[in-house]
Amino acid sequence: MCLEIGRFLFSCFQNFTNEDIIRILKEEGLETKIERGNRVFPVTDNAQSVIDALQRRLRRLNVKIITNANVIDILVEEGKAIGAKYLFEDQTKIIRADKIILAVRRCKLY
């Protein structure tokens, strides 16, 4: 299953380029630099700067982030995801949303 997810992600990355992330970081006040091998880094040389910039962006867009929760079900109506049912601190909760990003851990893509 992880290999299938990896293949799916390739198409996502074709639509979202490194220029897109550089633009977003700049819009959030973080300048970048290109080093050997065309690798892009924040001018601060600090990965936390990238996290901070992305978190600022998400807050500004009113994105709710839920971590350390176990997703029980994706709520679907008329073929469209409209929310999620999840377990958090031994309580079952439901969140409704226009869009859902489900991130998993412990899945090797190779």
Side-chain angles (χ1 to χ4, degrees):
M1 179 163 163
C2 287
L3 186 56
E4 293 170 12
I5 293 169
R7 287 188 188 129
F8 164 77
L9 290 176
F10 290 131
S11 65
C12 295
F13 291 129
Q14 288 176 342
N15 294 322
F16 188 77
T17 67
N18 58 335
E19 287 89 6
D20 293 325
I21 190 66
I22 290 169
R23 177 183 48 75
I24 288 169
L25 293 173
K26 185 172 186 168
E27 288 172 358
E28 295 306 320
L30 182 61
E31 295 295 327
T32 58
K33 61 183 176 177
I34 298 175
E35 292 191 354
R36 181 175 40 94
N38 289 326
R39 295 177 300 156
V40 179
F41 294 94
V43 293
T44 60
D45 286 323
N46 184 341
Q48 186 64 46
S49 305
V50 176
I51 294 168
D52 293 344
L54 293 175
Q55 286 178 335
R56 276 193 304 276
R57 178 72 161 224
L58 294 173
R59 276 193 304 274
R60 191 167 49 77
L61 294 172
N62 296 316
V63 173
K64 180 171 180 128
I65 300 172
I66 301 168
T67 60
N68 301 313
N70 294 318
V71 175
I72 299 167
D73 196 15
I74 301 294
L75 307 176
V76 178
E77 285 182 4
E78 298 178 11
K80 183 178 185 235
I82 58 152
K85 181 187 223 182
Y86 62 97
L87 185 63
F88 182 74
E89 296 179 350
D90 296 325
Q91 291 185 339
T92 300
K93 299 186 176 201
I94 291 178
I95 186 169
R96 301 235 175 229
D98 295 328
K99 296 186 176 45
I100 299 170
I101 300 173
L102 179 62
V104 298
R105 60 180 170 187
R106 296 187 185 124
C107 184
K108 295 182 180 179
L109 297 179
Y110 51 89

